[in-house]
Amino acid sequence: MTVLLWILAALALPLVIAALWFTGVFVKELFSPSPPGPDATALAAERLGLLPAERQDTEHAAPPPAAWSAALAAARGGDWAPAAELLRANGCDWERRSMLTAELGTLAAEEDGWLLAWEAARPDDPDAAVVRAQSTVRLAWDLRGARQARYTSREQFEGFGRMLSAARKEIARAAELNPEDPTPYVVEIWVALGLGCSHAEMDELWERITSRDPHHYGAHYAALQYWCAKWRGSKELAFDFARRAAERAPVGSLLTVLPLIARFEHDETTDVAADSTPEMLALVDAGLADAAACAASDPDRPGLAQLRHLLAYYLHLQDRHEAALEQFRLVDGHVDALPWSYRGEDAAAYYCRVRNETVGMAAEAV
């Protein structure tokens, strides 16, 4: 009998081992996570035609006009004539003039052979002069770098100061050649910010700008940076400047973005409830009305994309996901705008993360 039991046990052992192995595999599969698959919200965003992070343009807030891209491409090739013609044709559209000047000045700060040729061909051209002033200011900020002051070397600060001082002469010359143009003074805001000009000096500069164009978007954006606590002002001064400018501006001017920027620049809390107060809801609603009015009259206006990016962000924080998704659809593909641009190399990934969360929450609400 004992021998028989040993024989039966020997025959059963492989079955027991197999059973234990299968049980182990089953338990492991049951309690271990599956390999990660594509994020569901990313797939949902893709189905809506929204672009992944690697396809986001991190150098623009919106698609640049085709004529601008053509002029910039020609300048890179050494031909300044299309840029000169574009600025001439722009006339007194000061907002677009300032933005186009910024684009050309950035290019000239990298390589200015084409601008030198323009200046040689037309020595007293106010358009060439304002691009030169802009390029010198941009070069100064490039020399300083984007890091905080404690991480910036003495040599960087010295080069920064020298270039900004040189820019003041070029700004004065550009202003003299075209007295009606606020653009040189808009450029000078970044000099005032960098050199630490006094509040009284900034007030005088602001008067020169607003007497020429009272609701200039780029000027207000730059001036708000000056009044922020991180530069030459304070939280109170920044909020006061933003509030007064937004209240005085007509609907469609896009200046409702200023209180949102001031809020973002000084936000030190992680409590999202602070973004859904009655005051914040009202600011976002005013921004939506402003964006709608601008889109109806001038859909390609500089500044509209920046307002839409911030609206998408704050609508998301306010759990107004359908409205947020509408704004994301309108700006998708270009992420060089607040709040994403402050994330540096992570800008596109951060944008897509917030956008995809919005897609998921909007789908759940249906």
Side-chain angles (χ1 to χ4, degrees):
M1 184 67 180
T2 303
V3 174
L4 180 60
L5 289 174
W6 276 105
I7 294 172
L8 291 174
L11 292 173
L13 184 59
L15 295 176
V16 172
I17 293 173
L20 289 173
W21 184 82
F22 280 114
T23 301
V25 170
F26 174 76
V27 170
K28 184 177 180 180
E29 288 296 319
L30 181 65
F31 292 102
S32 297
S34 300
D39 180 77
T41 59
L43 291 175
E46 184 179 349
R47 286 194 292 271
L48 292 175
L50 304 176
L51 301 177
E54 61 271 17
R55 293 183 60 192
Q56 299 291 333
D57 181 341
T58 58
E59 296 183 357
H60 301 93
W68 292 25
S69 297
L72 287 164
R76 288 189 189 94
D79 184 3
W80 54 268
E85 174 57 25
L86 196 57
L87 277 171
R88 186 204 64 77
N90 182 81
C92 297
D93 186 339
W94 302 128
E95 286 190 9
R96 283 186 171 83
R97 179 177 175 82
S98 291
M99 182 170 282
L100 179 56
T101 297
E103 293 278 349
L104 292 168
T106 298
L107 180 60
E110 299 170 1
E111 200 288 312
D112 70 344
W114 60 275
L115 181 55
L116 288 169
W118 183 359
E119 291 168 325
R122 300 178 183 175
D124 294 321
D125 188 337
D127 295 340
V130 76
V131 172
R132 173 60 68 188
Q134 176 74 74
S135 72
T136 305
V137 172
R138 178 55 188 257
L139 183 57
W141 282 95
D142 287 345
L143 288 172
R144 183 199 182 280
R147 304 183 73 186
Q148 295 179 351
R150 64 178 179 271
Y151 302 120
T152 304
S153 70
R154 185 184 68 181
E155 290 76 13
Q156 284 176 292
F157 273 122
E158 289 176 351
F160 179 53
R162 284 196 302 270
M163 292 301 293
L164 288 182
S165 296
R168 300 191 101 165
K169 297 177 183 178
E170 293 168 354
I171 289 168
R173 180 171 181 269
E176 182 180 356
L177 289 170
N178 192 356
E180 295 181 0
D181 184 10
T183 309
Y185 302 113
V186 176
V187 174
E188 192 170 1
I189 293 176
W190 297 102
V191 177
L193 190 155
L195 294 180
C197 293
S198 69
H199 292 181
E201 290 174 297
M202 181 62 187
D203 288 339
E204 291 178 9
L205 176 58
W206 193 239
E207 174 59 28
R208 295 191 189 103
I209 294 169
T210 53
S211 64
R212 291 166 171 80
D213 190 350
H215 306 301
H216 191 294
Y217 175 86
H220 280 82
Y221 181 92
L224 178 56
Q225 290 297 314
Y226 173 92
W227 292 112
C228 282
K230 66 181 181 180
W231 288 112
R232 308 303 175 184
S234 66
K235 179 178 179 179
E236 292 73 23
L237 288 171
F239 274 68
D240 183 59
F241 173 82
R243 177 187 55 78
R244 287 186 289 110
E247 288 176 352
R248 294 172 181 173
V251 176
S253 67
L254 303 178
L255 297 189
T256 55
V257 76
L258 298 176
L260 297 178
I261 294 175
R263 162 69 180 168
F264 180 77
E265 292 282 6
H266 298 88
D267 187 5
E268 298 178 349
T269 179
T270 58
D271 181 11
V272 295
D275 297 307
S276 297
T277 62
E279 179 184 8
M280 280 299 296
L281 291 169
L283 289 177
V284 170
D285 286 342
L288 288 168
D290 204 9
C294 180
S297 62
D298 189 358
D300 298 320
R301 184 173 175 179
L304 178 56
Q306 172 60 92
L307 175 56
R308 291 200 187 282
H309 278 283
L310 276 171
L311 287 174
Y313 176 72
Y314 281 112
L315 286 164
H316 167 77
L317 294 179
Q318 293 172 356
D319 292 331
R320 301 162 70 180
H321 299 295
E322 282 290 343
L325 182 54
E326 180 181 356
Q327 298 302 317
F328 275 120
R329 285 177 181 270
L330 292 167
V331 298
D332 195 65
H334 299 80
V335 297
D336 186 25
L338 295 177
W340 334 112
S341 56
Y342 279 8
R343 294 298 183 105
E345 294 182 357
D346 192 43
Y350 178 50
Y351 164 84
C352 287
R353 185 159 63 248
V354 176
R355 182 204 64 192
N356 294 351
E357 288 176 7
T358 298
V359 170
M361 295 301 292
E364 289 182 10
V366 175

